[in-house]
Every structure is written in C-alpha cells, then in structure tokens.
Amino acid sequence: MSFTQRKDLGLLALRLGAGGVLVAHGTQKLFGWFGGGGIEGTAKMMEHMGFTPPRESAIAAGLGEAGGGALLILGLATPAAGAAAAGAMAGAVSVHAPAGFFAQGGGFEYPAFLGFVAAALGVSGPGRYSLDHATGHALDRPGLVVLAFALSAAAATVVVNRRIASLAAAERSEAEAESADGHRNS
C-alpha cells in the first residue's frame, strides 16, 4: 500500500468517525434521535443557555452538526462541511468554556476537539475516497476554503457575542429584580 493510499484511507476513517459523531449530535437536536430533545427541547435548552432566537439557534446548531457531519462522511463540499461543523462547535465551546478545559468537569474539551477535527478536514480536503474527488473537486477549491471559513467565523462570532449579551442582560435584570425586592422588604 502506497503512502498516498494510506493517507487517503486515514482521511476516510477520520471523515467517517468525526462525521458520524457530528451527525448523531445534530440529529439529537433536529429529530430527537438518540435520546435528544428534538427542535422543541433543543430550543428550550438553547434559550436557557442564552442563545437567541432559541428555535432558530436550535435549527442552526442541528444543521451545522448533522449537515456538516453528513457532508464530511461523503467527502462532499468538504470546506463548507468542515467550516459549518467547526462553527457549530464554536457555539458549544462558548457554553462549556466557563467550566474549564476537561470534559469530565463539564469543560470544552470535547466540542473543541470535534471543531478542530472538522476544521482540519475542511482545510486538508477529503482525500481520494470522496465525492469531492469523484466530481473533480468542484466544491473543494482553495477559494471556497477561505470563503467557507470566513463566513463560518463571522457567523460564530455573531452568535457567541449575541449569547454573551443575552446572558449579561438576564443577569442585570435578575440583579435589578433582587435589588427592588430587597428595597421592598426593608
């Protein structure tokens, strides 16, 4: 087996593994599969975590994970697939970051790892055993890599900043309500 064949088989294995995990997580959000909450349950969870609007955030997260994962599995539009999945994982990292790095403490280790793997696949390309290769890399051009990751980074930045602002506003409202309640009781 040549070095190129080994590399292409390795990329296929990585795409199948990471893509499969992403599809499973995304379908939990979208359809309630594998013990997930579906759109309604995920929307409630997203609202609780400060994502606004919650339903649209649930759909976007589910599509970024399931859609990006499915495209990674197929090796189709790999830059867009990797960028979409990495962007969805950036939102998850923002939720887990306050708990530190390690997953056993609720940290961001796991979503960061999935995001980095998806990004690496999006940048490196899918290898020979892919639909991108079969179609002459029509959806896997260098310009698409730059465009997909720029758009994903911009979208993730907007979503995470909107979440931070929403959480800060909720905290202020709660503090004001406690202050007003304290004045009434004194």
Side-chain angles (χ1 to χ4, degrees):
M1 178 180 305
S2 73
F3 176 76
T4 302
Q5 289 171 317
R6 284 180 33 220
K7 182 183 82 169
D8 290 329
L9 282 173
L11 286 169
L12 175 62
L14 193 56
R15 287 188 358 250
L16 293 175
V21 169
L22 287 161
V23 166
H25 279 280
T27 57
Q28 285 181 309
K29 290 173 178 65
L30 294 172
F31 309 118
W33 295 355
F34 310 111
I39 293 295
E40 296 309 316
T42 302
K44 288 177 186 170
M45 180 181 66
M46 293 293 226
E47 185 173 33
H48 177 73
M49 292 184 293
F51 289 99
T52 58
R55 182 174 175 77
E56 289 80 356
S57 297
I59 292 168
L63 288 175
E65 292 175 10
L71 290 172
L72 285 174
I73 288 170
L74 297 171
L76 180 63
T78 306
M89 291 299 98
V93 165
S94 78
V95 170
H96 292 276
F101 178 72
F102 291 104
Q104 75 251 23
F108 65 92
E109 174 186 16
Y110 184 64
F113 181 74
L114 282 176
F116 279 119
V117 170
L121 287 167
V123 170
S124 71
R128 178 175 302 179
Y129 307 115
S130 66
L131 289 178
D132 276 338
H133 181 76
T135 60
H137 295 278
L139 300 174
D140 182 29
R141 305 252 184 242
L144 292 175
V145 173
V146 173
L147 179 63
F149 279 93
L151 290 174
S152 180
T157 300
V158 167
V159 167
V160 169
N161 284 338
R162 188 183 310 157
R163 175 180 178 267
I164 291 167
S166 174
L167 291 173
E171 195 173 292
R172 279 192 304 275
S173 292
E174 188 176 300
E176 289 170 2
E178 286 178 7
S179 176
D181 191 43
H183 289 328
R184 277 185 286 229
N185 292 335
S186 32

